[in-house]
Amino acid sequence: MRTIGKNRGLARLADADGHFRMVALDQRPPLFDALAKAKGITREQVEYSDVTAAKRLLVENLAPHCSSMLFDPNFAVPAAIDLLPPRCGLIMTLEEHRVDETAGGRKSRAIANWSVEKIRAMGGDAVKVLAWYRPDADPVVNEHQKRFVREIGEDCARHDIPYVLELLVYPFLGSANHTADYVESPGKLPGLVIDSVREFAKPEYGVDLLKLESPLAANGLPARDGSAEAKASQKEFDAIGDICREHGIPWVLLSGGAAPEKFERVLDYSYAAGASGFLAGRTIWLDAVLKNFPDRAAVSASLRRDGLNVLERLNQLTTAKGTPWKARFPVFTDIKQEGDFARAY
């Protein structure tokens, strides 16, 4: 019985046809950096009011055109919860953007004073967690990450709320490509992405929807034209699709700030492998902020013109090629009389 809330929550994230057309604006460091660059200041000089102003503009202009939005509690909710349309699903992030960076890998933690229980209490439709993960990281680090993901999954099951898990491979501390924020590596190893999905698709983690990066770098992905290179690339996406299909978990793609045409190509491969949508942020709205902030009117105009153009193209591609998600409610064969359901739930 404790899946009714999860199914209703996932339905709130998707559109009426079962496609996940979702916009992410829980970003913190990437938005801090964009605001700093736009204003010609350092990240440390970005003010709280600038962050909330930017997030309010994003919600105001984009929320009517997506099936759900991803908020963070410390910036997005105070900035714009009043603007979120009633029929737009609300995903709430749980993880702290500051991680414990060690020589053996990254350890995640939850935002201080924030929990699955509070997300359910405030009317959130789903809990989202980003877990930095590399199968080849230090075993102690990976055990920490597994426990972190698993315990949140248990909380989501307890509160019957969907669990959206985002997985990101990252460069080790001290490596040539190291960065604290997510930047897609041109030399990405697809096996690291696929093996991460294989681990966290296991039932013990309780994941209901996977938010995944492309197994191959978006900038180097060939056109899906039937060539040998394209067929080889498709096999990497198909490997993810096979894992998710085996475990009955729908999956969507994150944009990672890729150029819109590059992200559309990623989606084309993903939809051929069975993906059900996208949860994208910077690809849709970053340029509007970078080029126009702090001129709020100009940011809005850019979002309505260029941002919505990108979003609508993603929406159309998803509707045409994405695999629809369908709710799976329990069968009530054991409910025979008044009181049976309340007792069973």
Side-chain angles (χ1 to χ4, degrees), residues 246-267:
E246 177 186 353
H247 292 279
I249 301 175
W251 54 294
V252 299
L253 276 296
L254 60 91
S255 64
E261 63 275 9
K262 300 294 186 181
F263 185 50
E264 288 178 33
R265 184 168 291 180
V266 168
L267 289 180

Side-chain angles (χ1 to χ4, degrees), residues 296-337:
R296 300 185 188 187
V299 173
S300 289
S302 179
L303 288 169
R304 288 194 301 268
R305 182 183 63 249
D306 304 318
L308 285 183
N309 181 52
V310 173
L311 180 55
E312 286 306 320
R313 291 208 313 269
L314 299 180
N315 285 340
Q316 291 170 12
L317 180 60
T318 302
T319 299
K321 297 186 176 183
T323 297
W325 168 83
K326 294 183 180 179
R328 292 176 293 184
F329 289 105
V331 179
F332 298 104
T333 53
D334 295 332
I335 305 300
K336 305 296 184 182
Q337 59 186 2

